[in-house]
Amino acid sequence: MTATSRVLVTRRLPSKVVARLEARHEVDRHDGESLPAEELRAHVRDKQAIVCVLTDRIDGAVIDAAPELKIVANVAVGYDNVDVAHAKRRGVIVTNTPDVLTNAVAEYTWGLILAIARRVTEGDRLIRRGGWKGFAFDFMLGTELHGKQLGILGMGRIGRAVAARAPAFGMSVVYHRGSTPEARPVSFDELLVTSDVISIHTLLTPETRHLIDQRALARMKRSAYLINTSRGPVVDEEALAWGLRERLIAGAALDVFEREPEVHANLLDLDNVVLAPHLGSATRETRTAMADLAVSNVLAVLDGGQPLTPV
């Protein structure tokens, strides 16, 4: 049997999933908030594996603080919180959790699209503050999706799953970044100019940081909606608040933010934006599957095998 290793689990994960680790290895389980950098470095010093989430910054200092480290298993699809290049130099494997959250995020994306296009959350707030005076023929008119164009920015697994649901709403699809035979590729500028709904599903990289800025917003239709369920910094929140206030676009729905959990103050008092607390993959089924895949990666590597989903 493989010798027992020491594993740090940085957040509370489903007990039945962590039990798989505890049956084989010694687990340091942290169930509270994010560990401060100094504490995180202290916790990893004797560890061979880390199971972390996207809010844990696994930088070079953390990796170097763990001389025996073999694997960082990130419970997320994105891995911008991990210094992958430094891990590679150290011979440390980095894994993520693709595929298992695709459907959950795709379904949720359509929930946000419908919520902003049909003003669902705005109407909810109106009723709760006692502002509804009864039915009126031209009251709080929204926008139908049928016959409109959906622009996908990042046609990966999730982007393709979102696009696959578009025909149910009578929408055509174009995309920029990625590939699929089922939609038409266009330039970034054409996607901005022609799309009625733009949904962001790209990774966060230096190239995509603030990809949606003042210029991009100014190129969009005034009737268009922007949806972001990828990573917050892809959108310049200050520019977005300006664009929404000036009615350069009709609305936006954000599940992710530049400096989570902080939200740009200028967005908070706008009715034409839906703000959600990073819930894209937040179903019991999906979060359990994500944690289970991360643990499977750790067990495989600690057994001397190959990871299931290496970055």
Side-chain angles (χ1 to χ4, degrees):
M1 183 175 175
T2 304
T4 298
S5 295
R6 290 176 292 277
V7 182
L8 172 64
V9 178
T10 65
R11 291 299 181 87
R12 182 171 62 251
L13 298 178
S15 296
K16 67 178 182 180
V17 175
V18 179
R20 294 179 58 211
L21 277 177
E22 293 174 330
R24 303 273 302 280
H25 301 287
E26 181 182 329
V27 178
D28 177 3
R29 183 173 178 174
H30 181 76
D31 288 345
E33 299 297 321
S34 289
L35 287 165
E38 186 175 345
E39 288 186 37
L40 182 56
R41 291 194 295 271
H43 274 273
V44 303
R45 293 191 192 285
D46 62 344
K47 302 301 190 294
Q48 285 80 47
I50 302 172
V51 180
C52 60
V53 299
L54 58 88
T55 53
D56 296 312
R57 182 165 176 75
I58 311 299
D59 57 15
V62 171
I63 293 168
D64 287 342
E68 301 176 40
L69 189 63
K70 297 179 180 179
I71 177 173
V72 175
N74 205 38
V75 188
V77 173
Y79 43 85
D80 47 279
N81 59 307
V82 181
D83 189 336
V84 176
H86 191 80
K88 184 176 181 180
R89 288 192 292 271
R90 275 281 317 277
V92 175
I93 293 168
V94 179
T95 65
N96 63 345
T97 58
D99 294 322
V100 293
L101 51 64
T102 298
N103 285 328
V105 178
E107 290 177 0
Y108 185 76
T109 298
W110 280 101
L112 291 180
I113 293 171
L114 291 167
I116 189 62
R118 296 304 303 273
R119 304 174 72 172
V120 175
T121 57
E122 185 183 351
D124 178 83
R125 292 192 299 270
L126 180 74
I127 286 180
R128 290 178 188 276
R129 65 173 181 260
W132 188 40
K133 305 306 180 185
F135 174 82
F137 191 75
D138 59 352
F139 179 63
M140 286 193 69
L141 301 181
T143 301
E144 292 185 21
L145 300 177
H146 186 85
K148 303 299 197 316
Q149 177 177 292
L150 172 65
I152 301 286
L153 185 53
M155 191 62 91
R157 296 179 182 89
I158 295 172
R160 289 193 294 271
V162 171
R165 289 159 170 79
F169 296 94
M171 298 189 76
S172 61
V173 180
V174 299
Y175 71 93
H176 180 67
R177 297 177 180 270
S179 64
T180 179
E182 299 174 358
R184 182 168 64 90
V186 295
S187 68
F188 181 47
D189 193 64
E190 183 177 346
L191 183 139
L192 293 173
V193 171
T194 63
S195 297
D196 299 288
V197 177
I198 295 176
S199 191
I200 303 172
H201 302 285
T202 187
L203 291 172
L204 175 62
T205 67
E207 184 183 9
T208 63
R209 182 176 293 273
H210 284 190
L211 185 63
I212 303 298
D213 54 11
Q214 281 196 6
R215 180 198 171 278
L217 291 163
R219 296 291 289 163
M220 290 173 62
K221 292 182 176 183
R222 287 185 175 266
S223 58
Y225 298 99
L226 179 71
I227 316 296
N228 189 13
T229 58
S230 62
R231 285 291 183 265
V234 175
V235 176
D236 181 340
E237 285 181 18
E238 185 171 353
L240 178 61
W242 165 79
L244 291 169
R245 194 175 300 278
E246 297 298 320
R247 300 286 174 172
L248 292 186
I249 63 173
L254 308 177
D255 187 50
V256 289
F257 303 91
E258 284 195 71
R259 291 170 289 276
E260 295 183 11
E262 177 187 342
V263 179
H264 198 290
N266 291 344
L267 291 171
L268 296 175
D269 61 349
L270 296 175
D271 281 330
N272 57 340
V273 60
V274 173
L275 306 172
H278 208 138
L279 299 177
S281 63
T283 67
R284 293 179 180 86
E285 300 90 342
T286 291
R287 290 283 171 88
T288 299
M290 292 168 66
D292 199 57
L293 179 53
V295 165
S296 293
N297 275 307
V298 168
L299 291 174
V301 170
L302 294 181
D303 279 348
Q306 295 299 311
L308 282 72
T309 53
V311 168

